[in-house]
Amino acid sequence: MKKIQLILFISLLLSGLKIYAQSDAFEININNNQPDFIFNTIADYENGITYPAAVSFSVTAEKGDNWSIYVKSQESAFTTGANSIPLTMLTIHVQGFNARILSTTDQIIASDSPNNKDPETTQYLIDYTVSAPGYTYNPGTYTCTIVYTITVK
């Protein structure tokens, strides 16, 4: 019996944050990990893969600096050559907030309004989950660019 290994590789390219600050005391830092999802076992194909705390970011803001962070994809699908996988395969979950399914539309993934007079720093952890692809997609390295945007109101 011939053994065939089908490997599906999904790579996420994280773009830098766009900062629209209305205060000099506003700062954001993100670790720019680029998690790779390598499907090389039957369990991966049937259950998907989750990377807990794949990315983290911290926000420092003063009282009254109400801010929101949004996420979206620059592309309409994960692609490799002529092949594609829908963006809906990726769920982005900032711990403590609702999970979001990746799309090309900005979605709020975290927000805050500090109550302290002194600058307040809060750290957030982002989990990435790629749902089970089954055996429908061709092997390859599929990529998309994820854009995080922060706005201050």
Side-chain angles (χ1 to χ4, degrees):
M1 180 165 151
K2 185 176 180 183
K3 183 178 178 183
I4 298 175
Q5 184 176 25
L6 177 68
I7 297 178
L8 179 65
F9 180 78
I10 298 176
S11 180
L12 306 176
L13 307 172
L14 305 179
S15 87
L17 290 170
K18 300 174 187 174
I19 299 177
Y20 302 99
Q22 296 175 345
S23 167
D24 292 336
F26 185 82
E27 180 181 339
I28 186 163
N29 295 300
I30 188 167
N31 76 2
N32 198 10
N33 288 338
Q34 295 187 11
D36 295 325
F37 294 84
I38 301 173
F39 291 79
N40 58 9
T41 69
I42 291 172
D44 294 342
Y45 282 97
E46 293 178 352
N47 302 318
I49 299 174
T50 297
Y51 281 117
V55 174
S56 67
F57 64 89
S58 61
V59 177
T60 302
E62 288 186 352
K63 181 178 180 178
D65 283 341
N66 303 327
W67 56 265
S68 297
I69 293 184
Y70 298 81
V71 67
K72 71 176 181 179
S73 173
Q74 274 186 245
E75 297 84 19
S76 60
F78 292 98
T79 59
T80 184
N83 299 314
S84 66
I85 295 176
L87 291 176
T88 55
M89 299 266 308
L90 179 67
T91 301
I92 297 172
H93 179 233
V94 176
Q95 295 175 11
F97 292 86
N98 292 328
R100 301 285 186 233
I101 295 172
L102 187 61
S103 74
T104 56
T105 304
D106 276 325
Q107 300 178 72
I108 293 177
I109 58 168
S111 60
D112 197 7
S113 178
N115 295 320
N116 298 329
K117 179 175 91 172
D118 298 324
E120 178 180 299
T121 300
T122 308
Q123 180 159 2
Y124 298 90
L125 301 174
I126 302 174
D127 303 335
Y128 286 143
T129 299
V130 174
S131 58
Y135 303 96
T136 307
Y137 303 104
N138 292 324
T141 301
Y142 293 79
T143 62
C144 82
T145 303
I146 297 175
V147 178
Y148 290 91
T149 306
I150 187 164
T151 59
V152 181
K153 299 176 182 176

